[in-house]
Amino acid sequence: MSASIPFFNFSLKKVLIQQPDTLKQARIKIVYGILLLSLLKLLIAIPLVINNIPTNHLFRIVFFFLIYLALIKYLLYKPLSINIISHLILLTGIAGIWSNLFIFGQQLNLLVLQFVFMVTFVSYYLINTRYAFLYSILAISPVMFKLAITSREKWHLDAISQELPSPGFEVVVLMNFITIVLIHYLFYRAFRDNVNEKEILNKQLLATIAETKALADSRSVFLSTMSHELRTPLNAVIGMTNLIKDTATEEQTENLDILEFSAVSLLTVVNDILDYNKSENDKIELEAIPVNLPGLLHKVCSGLQLKAAEKGFDLLLEVDDKLKEQWLIADPTRLTQIIYNLVGNAIKFTEQGTVSVQALVVQSDEGHVMINFSVTDTGIGIPYDRQEAIFEPFTQASADTTRYYGGTGLGLAIVKRLLKLFNSTIDLKSKQGEGSVFSFAIQFDLYKGDINPNSIHTDMNSSFDNLNILIAEDNPVNALLLVKLLTKWNAKTVVTNNGKEAIDKYLNNTFDVILMDLHMPVMDGYQATLFIRSLSNPIKACIPIIALTASVSHNIHGKIKDAGMHDYLSKPFQPVSLYQKLNLINIAKAGKALAE
Ligand code: ADP
């Protein structure tokens, strides 16, 4: 600031223009005002006292005059030095008080008291409180000392200064009062302006925060809607591919495998974006159902075994023997997602050697078990300085990773957030060129109930010729896919296009299960289910209803339960998942028929 002010500047305006802060502007004005008024006071006093005061006293006055003149020039040239100037002004004030009382033998009078007040509050307005406190004591203590040693009769507030005759004394007293008022006026005006300015800034800040939040919300809604729209047709692509494969020739099957692989890859990307979006908004809730860990790990690894074999190395799985008979309470989908991401990466970034997955019990008691999972590879490794960054979203170890290996950089960010839900953190040990070990430990509750063999049944050999299934689905491709799938399992089907049509059909016919899409025109799946659950005929009211949803909204599980649906399937779903759910209903129906 001072660099652009010329040495011969005499304008306060020029100095103030360069200082945007109102409080700093006020300080400059206060210092300038004090100096200017002090010069004026001395100019008035000098001619009045020149003939009737001792020379050393006159020297003091001239000395102060010259100091104030120099300080005013210094302030206009180097306003950034306002701190030094303020200290010097206060020191001259204190020197004035002390010399008046102890060198020039003056009594306590109005002028001395005015100086004490000025030094005290100017020091608080202009410099920091520590110095202000010191200066206040230096200004007040001589007065208190004088008060203590002077008899009361000699102490008169109206006692005029011995050497400044009237009207000089009165004029200086008046100018001191003007100085006091001016200082307060300038300081409080600046203070008020500053507070107003901060209030305006605060309002702007709040508006910006609200705008940013609205933007983030709309981004999140957009991502959810977009992925919902993508998942619905993907459901049809994957489902149809599965169906056609049953009757395809060998050559067609090869092409269909590629089609299915691409569709599943696309689905993974869509799901990754969606999951990240959900975890960012704390919208993922963990399921707690019985899980057979060896079975789960086996399934994940056998899905990826092919990829490892294609690259010419082994994918090894080691599961603690203690876990073979013991089921855990866990969220199998999220656990699968974590392992799948880590093993998928390990295979992707390894060219030779091995990739191994380990799940070992590190601690256990009556009701809990702590399991340490690790995924080890002999791949390219991760440079030390990138080992933290790769867990950030959309971040890869190096700029050319996408070019060589593909990927979005979301997988590890999702893994990290999912592990947080399991109250765990991921640990990475890696050396560039030698390989990596990703590990984490999770504590699970042990499952104490009976294990239902149907929940692990996966070969789709049963026939559902006993089942009459009502489908409520507005998307014709998805409806067709369901019909084809269910017909393959010999089930009878009736298709309706919305909740209202489904109710009409249901009231006049008998069905064993309803597959209910959630978002449909006219009447959605929630409303239709609520209506069915409120029917007066108890047998009709309690028909199993399975929700079919591509929705990814928060707490979908809770919403479906609240509406009275038994279960749900997330689209796109694997035929085996639908098969398992229908199989349970089929078994229950057969059991009921036997009992009757
Ligand atoms: P993506 O695999 O889609 O790029 P991730 O978030 O899963 O995204 O991984 C981020 C980055 O971390 C990868 O791009 C890669 O650079 C690095 N990385 C992850 N796992 C491994 C591994 N096993 N070996 C070497 N690098 C890895």
Side-chain angles (χ1 to χ4, degrees):
M1 180 172 86
S2 54
S4 58
I5 298 178
F7 181 73
F8 289 107
N9 170 50
F10 295 103
S11 153
L12 180 68
K13 232 181 180 175
K14 250 188 207 163
V15 172
L16 293 177
I17 279 173
Q18 297 189 25
Q19 182 52 262
D21 188 303
T22 43
L23 272 180
K24 284 187 180 151
Q25 270 188 6
R27 285 177 74 203
I28 293 173
K29 282 189 205 164
I30 289 172
V31 170
Y32 186 75
I34 293 172
L35 288 171
L36 211 61
L37 286 166
S38 302
L39 281 176
L40 254 173
K41 277 183 275 180
L42 292 174
L43 271 177
I44 292 168
I46 290 172
L48 289 173
V49 298
I50 198 154
N51 292 322
N52 55 355
I53 54 166
T55 332
N56 58 349
H57 202 155
L58 191 64
F59 274 161
R60 182 181 69 148
I61 295 177
V62 175
F63 179 64
F64 280 175
F65 183 83
L66 291 176
I67 284 188
Y68 292 148
L69 206 61
L71 288 182
I72 220 166
K73 178 72 217 70
Y74 193 46
L75 178 72
L76 293 176
Y77 173 50
K78 287 243 186 272
L80 279 185
S81 308
I82 189 158
N83 262 350
I84 301 172
I85 299 171
S86 304
H87 278 290
L88 288 173
I89 292 175
L90 288 162
L91 285 172
T92 57
I94 287 165
I97 296 167
W98 280 73
S99 55
N100 265 1
L101 295 179
F102 299 120
I103 299 176
F104 301 109
Q106 286 199 6
Q107 293 302 322
L108 289 174
N109 61 39
L110 197 52
L111 275 181
V112 172
L113 285 184
Q114 280 182 323
F115 278 113
V116 171
F117 287 133
M118 279 194 284
V119 167
T120 307
F121 59 70
V122 166
S123 60
Y124 279 101
Y125 287 173
L126 294 187
I127 48 181
N128 68 44
T129 42
R130 211 152 23 106
Y131 274 115
F133 188 65
L134 180 73
Y135 285 143
S136 306
I137 290 180
L138 284 175
I140 293 166
S141 55
V143 176
M144 294 312 295
F145 179 75
K146 198 79 178 174
L147 207 59
I149 61 163
T150 313
S151 66
R152 264 177 164 251
E153 299 78 56
K154 283 197 182 168
W155 198 88
H156 294 291
L157 199 63
D158 59 349
I160 61 160
S161 114
Q162 286 94 331
E163 67 272 338
L164 190 60
S166 215
F169 177 77
E170 288 80 356
V171 172
V172 174
V173 166
L174 176 70
M175 288 179 71
N176 278 346
F177 277 132
I178 291 174
T179 313
I180 292 171
V181 171
L182 183 80
I183 291 167
H184 279 90
Y185 170 77
L186 288 173
F187 185 79
Y188 277 100
R189 206 180 64 169
F191 182 70
R192 198 197 51 214
D193 288 352
N194 203 269
V195 169
N196 289 346
E197 215 173 83
K198 297 261 149 71
E199 263 173 25
I200 293 170
L201 278 177
N202 245 350
K203 275 188 196 153
Q204 283 172 349
L205 191 70
L206 287 177
T208 315
I209 290 173
E211 244 171 59
T212 316
K213 199 177 163 309
L215 239 142
D217 285 351
S218 64
R219 186 198 66 163
S220 151
V221 169
F222 169 75
L223 279 176
S224 297
T225 317
M226 188 196 74
S227 47
H228 175 267
E229 295 306 313
L230 284 172
R231 281 156 69 104
T232 308
L234 267 178
N235 184 41
V237 174
I238 295 171
M240 283 297 177
T241 313
N242 257 306
L243 276 176
I244 304 170
K245 262 181 13 187
D246 285 350
T247 52
T249 62
E250 204 174 310
E251 196 195 334
Q252 284 169 333
T253 307
E254 250 175 44
N255 294 343
L256 286 169
D257 280 342
I258 296 170
L259 177 64
E260 192 181 15
F261 176 80
S262 306
V264 170
S265 303
L266 179 56
L267 183 65
T268 312
V269 175
V270 171
N271 282 344
D272 272 2
I273 293 175
L274 202 73
D275 271 339
Y276 186 73
N277 190 35
K278 276 205 278 181
S279 67
E280 205 178 29
N281 296 305
D282 291 332
K283 283 182 179 170
I284 292 183
E285 279 172 22
L286 288 187
E287 226 184 344
I289 57 171
V291 173
N292 174 260
L293 193 65
L296 181 145
L297 291 174
H298 211 266
K299 227 157 76 185
V300 177
C301 290
S302 51
L304 288 163
Q305 186 84 55
L306 200 72
K307 275 192 186 175
E310 272 170 14
K311 293 183 91 173
F313 57 82
D314 284 332
L315 171 58
L316 309 172
L317 171 65
E318 185 192 347
V319 188
D320 204 313
D321 282 345
K322 291 182 209 124
L323 293 167
K324 291 232 161 94
E325 300 303 317
Q326 187 62 67
W327 283 48
L328 317 167
I329 300 287
D331 183 328
T333 317
R334 299 303 175 188
L335 204 54
T336 302
Q337 208 176 350
I338 294 170
I339 310 278
Y340 191 90
N341 262 311
L342 295 178
V343 181
N345 274 348
I347 295 173
K348 184 160 80 169
F349 296 107
T350 301
E351 294 310 325
Q352 55 187 28
T354 47
V355 169
S356 59
V357 183
Q358 258 190 342
L360 300 177
V361 173
V362 282
Q363 211 181 318
S364 66
D365 60 32
E366 274 281 286
H368 314 92
V369 61
M370 173 80 94
I371 299 172
N372 193 67
F373 296 85
S374 61
V375 177
T376 310
D377 67 61
T378 52
I380 59 171
I382 301 149
Y384 186 71
D385 60 347
R386 299 295 294 161
Q387 290 184 8
E388 232 175 86
I390 53 165
F391 293 97
E392 295 301 318
F394 306 106
T395 310
Q396 300 187 313
S398 76
D400 48 17
T401 305
T402 316
R403 196 154 21 103
Y404 291 125
Y405 301 96
T408 53
L410 270 178
L412 290 181
I414 294 170
V415 165
K416 187 176 156 189
R417 286 182 184 215
L418 288 178
L419 279 176
K420 204 170 156 206
L421 295 177
F422 281 101
N423 291 323
S424 177
T425 50
I426 192 147
D427 183 59
L428 165 62
K429 294 203 171 32
S430 181
K431 213 164 175 198
Q432 213 173 350
E434 290 184 17
S436 314
V437 184
F438 287 85
S439 61
F440 57 91
I442 298 181
Q443 170 156 309
F444 298 96
D445 287 344
L446 294 174
Y447 178 63
K448 297 285 183 196
D450 282 343
I451 294 157
N452 181 352
N454 293 307
S455 54
I456 44 173
H457 182 98
T458 48
D459 50 346
M460 298 186 275
N461 296 329
S462 305
S463 165
F464 296 149
D465 48 1
N466 240 345
L467 291 185
N468 200 11
I469 301 173
L470 177 61
I471 299 167
E473 167 67 86
D474 64 318
N475 182 314
V477 181
N478 281 342
L480 180 67
L481 174 69
L482 276 171
V483 171
K484 290 202 170 219
L485 204 57
L486 295 169
T487 314
K488 196 173 100 180
W489 298 327
N490 304 322
K492 289 181 259 328
T493 54
V494 172
V495 177
T496 56
N497 294 317
N498 58 58
K500 169 107 189 22
E501 269 183 31
I503 290 173
D504 290 345
K505 269 273 175 321
Y506 182 55
L507 290 178
N508 300 313
N509 297 282
T510 308
F511 291 98
D512 301 299
V513 54
I514 302 177
L515 299 181
M516 183 82 82
D517 185 24
L518 289 182
H519 298 288
M520 292 179 288
V522 187
M523 183 187 269
D524 67 21
Y526 296 111
Q527 288 169 306
T529 306
L530 286 173
F531 182 87
I532 291 170
R533 294 292 178 238
S534 68
L535 290 174
S536 54
N537 178 343
I539 297 176
K540 276 237 164 249
C542 70
I543 180 169
I545 299 178
I546 299 173
L548 300 174
T549 175
S551 170
V552 286
S553 67
H554 180 39
N555 193 17
I556 191 81
H557 198 62
K559 278 197 215 162
I560 285 167
K561 275 231 156 81
D562 288 349
M565 288 175 237
H566 274 78
D567 207 341
Y568 77 98
L569 265 176
S570 258
K571 285 190 277 189
F573 56 84
Q574 289 295 325
V576 66
S577 310
L578 176 62
Y579 181 90
Q580 282 173 351
K581 292 184 194 298
L582 292 178
N583 198 31
L584 286 180
I585 294 168
N586 197 28
I587 291 169
K589 189 179 175 188
K592 229 154 102 196
L594 267 178
E596 282 163 6

